[in-house]
Amino acid sequence: TARRSAEPAGTGIAARLDAAWLRVWRLFTSVNFAVLQIIVLALLAVVGMTIRQLPGFAFRSAGDYANAMTDIHTRYDPAFGVGAVDLLERLGVFRVFSSTWFTIGLLVLIVSIVICTIDRTPRLWRLSAEIRVVQPDAYFDPMLPDRVRIAGGDGALDPAAVRMVLRRHRFRVRSVDLDGVAFLYGDRNRWTKLATLVSHLGLILFLIAAAVTARLG
């Protein structure tokens, strides 16, 4: 379905924009893309924690920056050479957490989490809010995963007894009688699926705090 939707019927600008937007949306909702972003940020963080970083006061004036870089050269020139240290300075290795690359990585990850949350929220809401008690016979096929047939079933069980057992174990029970067949639906912790939205919001706030701290101190 996603592949077909990414190939609209028309060939005009609107159709191409629509196809491009769908590809971008799929990219930002991809778990693999999110994992790649986290790995890249983690590697940058390891570099920032391993290699000595310029202190905050180094950016107050040109003189402070020069003095701080002199200390960096004194520390790393014997191991890497002056040219390599100059290259690392231009790449922002000595100020990883306030570098443009790290900030862009944080912003892209925030956008990915927001888009992923927007994409998942309707489905999570439907799973929590929409309860379908009556199911077709094929739904109860014991060959399907997570299905079980109770010995002595096929009409021998008393729906009231099953309902009582479920309620005793703190299930919320819904029942529907249809054409002489009793359907029971029991669930617990119905709304916990939405807890992922809270965790996503917490992660977004952490990332925003990291970006603000890196830029504003």
Side-chain angles (χ1 to χ4, degrees):
T1 303
R3 191 178 301 111
R4 289 197 303 270
S5 64
E7 299 171 356
T11 58
I13 296 178
R16 289 196 293 270
L17 290 176
D18 184 55
W21 166 249
L22 287 172
R23 292 190 185 96
V24 171
W25 185 271
R26 287 212 307 258
L27 175 65
F28 277 91
T29 56
S30 169
V31 175
N32 293 333
F33 184 54
V35 171
L36 176 62
Q37 294 176 71
I38 293 173
I39 290 175
V40 171
L41 286 174
L43 291 176
L44 290 175
V46 169
V47 171
M49 291 184 292
T50 304
I51 296 180
R52 184 173 181 178
Q53 301 292 289
L54 290 167
F57 65 80
F59 301 96
R60 293 183 304 192
S61 66
D64 290 332
Y65 183 85
N67 292 334
M69 280 306 304
T70 298
D71 294 337
I72 294 288
H73 277 284
T74 302
R75 186 183 186 91
Y76 290 114
D77 281 359
F80 302 123
V82 177
V85 173
D86 289 339
L87 177 61
L88 293 176
E89 178 188 3
R90 288 194 292 271
L91 293 175
V93 173
F94 302 118
R95 50 185 181 88
V96 169
F97 300 108
S98 60
S99 66
T100 301
W101 302 113
F102 196 78
T103 302
I104 290 175
L106 288 176
L107 292 176
V108 172
L109 184 57
I110 291 173
V111 172
S112 295
I113 296 174
V114 170
I115 291 178
C116 183
T117 302
I118 294 173
D119 183 68
R120 295 182 62 187
T121 297
R123 183 172 69 256
L124 291 173
W125 177 258
R126 287 195 301 270
L127 289 173
S128 300
E130 298 178 5
I131 301 299
R132 181 177 177 181
V133 178
V134 178
Q135 300 286 352
D137 292 340
Y139 178 85
F140 300 99
D141 187 347
M143 298 300 293
L144 295 175
D146 301 323
R147 302 297 192 274
V148 62
R149 183 181 297 278
I150 301 176
D154 298 328
L157 290 176
D158 180 11
V162 175
R163 188 183 299 110
M164 183 177 62
V165 172
L166 290 174
R167 285 176 175 167
R168 188 186 308 149
H169 288 82
R170 299 186 300 278
F171 281 83
R172 181 179 179 184
V173 181
R174 298 169 180 81
S175 61
V176 174
D177 291 320
L178 182 65
D179 298 331
V181 179
F183 291 88
L184 298 180
Y185 181 98
D187 64 36
R188 287 188 300 185
N189 307 317
R190 173 184 173 188
W191 300 101
T192 53
K193 301 180 185 69
L194 299 178
T196 182
L197 302 180
V198 179
S199 62
H200 280 192
L201 176 60
L203 185 55
I204 290 171
L205 292 177
F206 272 118
L207 294 174
I208 292 176
V212 170
T213 301
R215 283 300 174 184
L216 304 180

